[in-house]
Amino acid sequence: MIRWATRSHISHVFVVIGHLHGSNIILEANGREVDITFLEKYDGDNTFVSVYYPPSCLSAQEMDKALFHTVLKYKLEKYGWLQILSIALSGIFPSVTFLKQGVICSELAFYFLEQLGLLTRSSVNKAFNPDRATPQDILLLVSGVYGQGKQP
């Protein structure tokens, strides 16, 4: 449904934020809430996801600070299903009122990467709105910035 609504070939995006006992830990907005979980939950999953590995030149302190600010901002947010609906309707009715409620995965990924200093709203495009960004938008932005977008 998300790929149809956003007209994107990717349905989900998240960021690898660390490792624990040999497993990758990810930050995501997962359809219910903002969550920190293991990447392995997507092993064998047929969803179309995009995984971002921030550059290794970032310090643990930079990663922790960005994670802290991101989780602090979004920890109580539910998933933004109304945003997905708004994105879908804006493709049919460009003047549709945008329904901002909750957070979607691409918005969360953008904010985290913005906190790391890897993306900025001004460096992207003046018309860019992270609230309306699709997973595919984030893939294109991140690939252009540091070439780390990966589709398993």
Side-chain angles (χ1 to χ4, degrees), residues 109-122:
F110 182 90
Y111 186 80
F112 180 73
L113 295 171
E114 186 177 48
Q115 292 301 303
L116 286 173
L118 297 173
L119 294 176
T120 63
R121 292 164 203 253
S122 61

Side-chain angles (χ1 to χ4, degrees), residues 8-24:
S8 173
H9 71 277
I10 300 166
S11 60
H12 190 52
V13 61
F14 46 82
V15 179
V16 174
I17 57 171
H19 308 282
L20 181 64
H21 304 295
S23 296
N24 288 320

Side-chain angles (χ1 to χ4, degrees), residues 94-116:
S95 62
V96 71
T97 301
F98 184 69
L99 304 170
K100 169 70 174 123
Q101 183 179 17
V103 61
I104 59 176
C105 62
S106 47
E107 176 188 1
L108 181 70
F110 182 90
Y111 186 80
F112 180 73
L113 295 171
E114 186 177 48
Q115 292 301 303
L116 286 173

Side-chain angles (χ1 to χ4, degrees), residues 59-74:
S59 70
Q61 184 179 11
E62 290 171 304
M63 290 288 288
D64 290 348
K65 183 179 176 184
L67 181 62
F68 174 79
H69 286 288
T70 304
V71 170
L72 187 63
K73 178 174 176 148
Y74 291 111

